[in-house]
Amino acid sequence: MTIPRVLIIAGSDSGGGAGIQADIKTVTMLGGYAMTAVTAVTVQNTLGVSAIHPVPPGIVGAQIRAVLDDIGADCIKIGMLGDAETIVAVAQALDGVTVPILVDPVMVAKGGAALLAPDAVEALVRLLLPKARLVTPNVPELEALVGSEIADEADLLLVAQELLGLGPAAVLAKGGHLEGDTVVDWLVTHNAQQRFESPRHETRHTHGTGCTLASAVATGLAAGLPLAEAVEKARAYVQAALRAAPGLGAGHGPLGHNFALL
């Protein structure tokens, strides 16, 4: 039996709800094998991020090469990168890679802390978006990447199409920040667009939803699923994990990634 291999390039979350901790849990629960290249160590819990210690860019690149040269990967998921120097190192390490690359443009933590330097946005767009099989921005990230405001679902779709013009093969625009009783996401490619809808689950325990969704999609792609099917299965996993949130912490608590084991 071959196991889907997912290389995660992202930051560590000491609280375990987001970042590589959420990524590893997700990939494992969905039947994949998770590997990591750690870009930063964050000091955080459900109340927010209080400190960030970047990993030297050369070490980030070396982690990527070490994994790919030996174990290999069927999909690569990129999360928190932090600064332009790290983005350059990651882009160089991924030169020539042919497996799908998923970019989750992590810019701001759930509690509001900045996770991507402002001058790094240009490097992200120029160096990584053209490599991406899929980009998974939420509303604030879409606005920052494109420079357009999003007030409703029509704007969400329009700005996703604008982002598509910057180089990725597909965009999954996540509408969770918009008002309404349902959460609507749009998957946009150069040939089609598909709408996904699910009931909004009212809870404060939403820490790591973006990381979890992206890693779930990456696991589906690593297993050879078509993109739309990988997105559909990933959204279902996130919905189930939201409902199973263990209620930990006084702030934005983690999801129940291991609901299937309970």
Side-chain angles (χ1 to χ4, degrees):
M1 181 184 72
T2 59
I3 186 169
R5 302 162 298 173
V6 181
L7 170 59
I8 300 146
I9 305 169
S12 168
D13 171 7
S14 55
I20 59 172
Q21 285 82 354
D23 297 325
I24 293 171
K25 294 172 189 176
T26 300
V27 173
T28 302
M29 288 304 303
L30 292 175
Y33 179 75
M35 303 156 286
T36 61
V38 182
T39 60
V41 175
T42 69
V43 178
Q44 66 174 298
N45 53 28
T46 67
L47 299 174
V49 179
S50 56
I52 298 174
H53 178 70
V55 173
I59 296 297
V60 175
Q63 292 176 83
I64 296 169
R65 294 185 182 94
V67 169
L68 295 180
D69 289 348
D70 177 32
I71 302 171
D74 300 301
C75 186
I76 297 169
K77 183 256 182 173
I78 301 174
M80 175 188 174
L81 295 173
D83 54 37
E85 291 77 14
T86 299
I87 291 171
V88 171
V90 169
Q92 291 175 343
L94 295 179
D95 277 347
V97 168
T98 58
V99 301
I101 296 173
L102 189 154
V103 176
D104 183 23
V106 178
M107 296 181 175
V108 180
K110 189 73 70 178
L115 299 179
L116 185 68
D119 63 350
V121 175
E122 184 275 335
L124 178 69
V125 171
R126 176 171 53 88
L127 296 175
L128 289 182
L129 291 197
K131 295 180 182 292
R133 175 68 181 88
L134 179 68
V135 184
T136 61
N138 59 28
V139 168
E141 292 159 353
L142 259 178
E143 292 177 332
L145 289 169
V146 176
S148 300
E149 292 188 2
I150 299 172
D152 52 28
E153 184 183 339
D155 289 342
L156 182 72
L157 177 57
L158 181 62
V159 178
Q161 292 169 332
E162 292 183 53
L163 183 60
L164 191 68
L166 297 179
V171 174
L172 178 63
K174 301 178 295 187
H177 285 77
L178 298 177
E179 297 293 330
D181 294 331
T182 59
V183 175
V184 174
D185 303 331
W186 276 96
L187 176 62
V188 180
T189 70
H190 292 281
N191 301 317
Q193 55 195 38
Q194 185 169 345
R195 185 179 187 270
F196 297 87
E197 178 181 319
S198 55
R200 185 180 298 277
H201 185 66
E202 293 296 341
T203 175
R204 64 180 173 87
H205 299 292
T206 58
H207 187 49
T209 50
C211 303
T212 299
L213 179 66
S215 287
V217 176
T219 307
L221 293 178
L225 295 181
L227 179 57
E229 185 177 348
V231 169
E232 186 172 19
K233 288 181 177 295
R235 293 182 84 259
Y237 175 77
V238 171
Q239 288 292 314
L242 277 167
R243 292 191 295 269
L248 302 176
H252 297 289
L255 309 185
H257 292 92
N258 63 338
F259 62 86
L261 301 178
L262 302 176

